[in-house]
Each structure stands twice: as structure tokens, then as C-alpha cells.
Amino acid sequence: MDTPLWMSDPYLREAPARVLAHADDGGVVLDACVFYAAGGGQPGDRGTLVWEGGEMAVVDTVKGAGTAVLRPGPDAALPPVGAQVTQRLDWDTRHLHMRVHTALHLLSVVIPLPVTGGQIGPGKGRLDFDMPDAPEDKPALEAALNALIARDLAVTEDWITDAELEAAPGLVKTMSVKPPMGAGRVRLVRIGAGADQVDLQPCGGTHVARTGEIGPVTLGKIEKKGRQNRRVTLHLA
């Protein structure tokens, strides 16, 4: 099992590591990984591995058996098992994912309905809601969302046990994606604190440190996706 460096410091852009193994699909497994493995609607990170005498483009990061697997570009040479490497993250793309991810958490605040799906991209994202009827006033939702962002609320994390989460089902907003359980404890992402807290929900992804870092957003189409579902898309300005 690797150490997920991105979890303790999502702003870490470069870090040393040792190659633990080559995965069956040709990917690379490290002992400590700065790259986020795709999950929960957030894409896997990209970047570069550099070692003495070689370099490998990381075109995607996926989840393996208890570890992250870094997928190389076509015909890329892999660093030898045991080699010391330097990981260099595609920071611009990661930071866009972080901004969008936190904005989507706030979107679930201004639209307080069960979430049936979601996807994060570089600069835009969407949530699907259990929403039979479209909102009557989309500009008001957009204004409320930007007002939350402008409050520059702190984004922090807490941890609870699996049992504590099962005893508090109201924390879970997503209907289609299960919280990251099974390791004995669950990470909660909190936006705001004390009387200023606006959101608290299980999440295993990367986020900005304060909501002001998101910047202004606009709401795109609100599309009907089935009898009960509406898809709401947001864009970073």
C-alpha cells in the first residue's frame, strides 16, 4: 500500500518516491504518491516521473489493490523496480479539479436535494440531482453560489469511524456514489467552521483551502436526465 501524499497536502507538486512494482497492466506503483487516483467523479492526475537516465509521462492515475497505479504514455520506458524517482504533478490541471470539486460541494448546498451523480473536469463540473422539476430561478441559484464562494470559507477535514458514519446517514448526499468506507475510518470535508459552517460530507478527493480560491462561477444548462433527475453544470469563470 502506498502513502497518498495528496491527501495530507493537496498543494504538493513534486515529491521523491521509490518504485515498488510494475502493475499487471503496465502501470507503475510507488511507495508514496503525489498523484490522485480517479474516483468519486474526480479524474486521475497526470504528470511526469523522472529518474536517473529516464523520464515517463503519467497520462492517468487509477486505483489498484490498495494503491495508486500510474499509467504511462504509449511505448514509454518504465522506471526499474526499486528506482528512486521524482514525481512532478500536472499542477494546472489538478488545481482546476480542486476548484471545481469544492464548487460542486457548494452547489449541493444551494440545491439541497439528493445527488444522483457527478463529474469533475478541468474548469467545469456537474451534479445530477433527484429533482423532478427544474429550478424556477437559475440566476438566483448562481448568485447564492457565488455569494458562498466570496465568503472565503475555510475548507478543512475531519475523520470519523465507519460506524459513526452509518449512525449519521444524513451526512451522505450522494445516492449513486458510496462514501469511501472500508478502512475503518471515513474522511469528512468541512466548509466553514462553527456558526459559519455551510457543508460537511464524506469525500475522498482534493479541495482548495478556502472557497475564495474557486473564483466566480457560472451555471450552465439544467438538463432533464430521466423522470426524476436534473443535471446542473457549472463553469469556472
Side-chain angles (χ1 to χ4, degrees), residues 27-227:
V28 175
V29 178
L30 305 177
D31 64 343
C33 193
V34 75
F35 298 91
Y36 175 82
Q42 180 171 334
D45 281 330
R46 304 179 301 188
T48 309
L49 293 183
V50 180
W51 65 96
E52 186 175 355
E55 181 174 314
M56 184 193 97
V58 178
V59 298
D60 196 9
T61 306
V62 299
K63 292 179 180 177
T67 189
V69 178
L70 280 55
R71 287 186 169 165
D75 303 319
L78 305 185
V81 174
Q84 296 293 323
V85 299
T86 298
Q87 309 170 71
R88 293 175 181 161
L89 180 67
D90 176 353
W91 168 249
D92 289 343
T93 301
R94 156 71 80 76
H95 192 224
L96 287 171
H97 291 162
M98 290 164 59
R99 292 167 61 199
V100 169
H101 199 160
T102 308
L104 290 177
H105 277 222
L106 292 177
L107 181 62
S108 75
V109 174
V110 300
I111 304 178
L113 295 172
V115 175
T116 58
Q119 189 65 45
I120 296 162
K124 73 175 184 176
R126 52 92 172 168
L127 288 180
D128 298 344
F129 292 94
D130 184 8
M131 182 194 302
D133 299 312
E136 294 182 359
D137 194 344
K138 188 175 77 169
L141 289 176
E142 184 177 292
L145 179 56
N146 279 300
L148 280 177
I149 291 169
R151 287 171 63 181
D152 197 28
L153 300 167
V155 182
T156 58
E157 67 175 37
D158 287 317
W159 292 85
I160 60 174
T161 66
D162 287 357
E164 287 172 326
L165 180 59
E166 289 175 348
L171 289 173
V172 181
K173 297 185 176 184
T174 55
M175 298 172 65
S176 60
V177 179
K178 293 184 178 180
M181 300 173 66
R185 63 178 193 154
V186 179
R187 177 174 176 251
L188 300 178
V189 171
R190 182 189 308 274
I191 302 180
D196 288 330
Q197 179 177 309
V198 298
D199 191 50
L200 179 67
Q201 60 178 293
C203 183
T206 59
H207 290 270
V208 293
R210 304 192 68 89
T211 61
E213 195 173 332
I214 299 168
V217 301
T218 59
L219 293 183
K221 292 181 179 179
I222 298 180
E223 304 173 88
K224 187 175 178 63
K225 294 291 181 178
R227 185 171 61 87

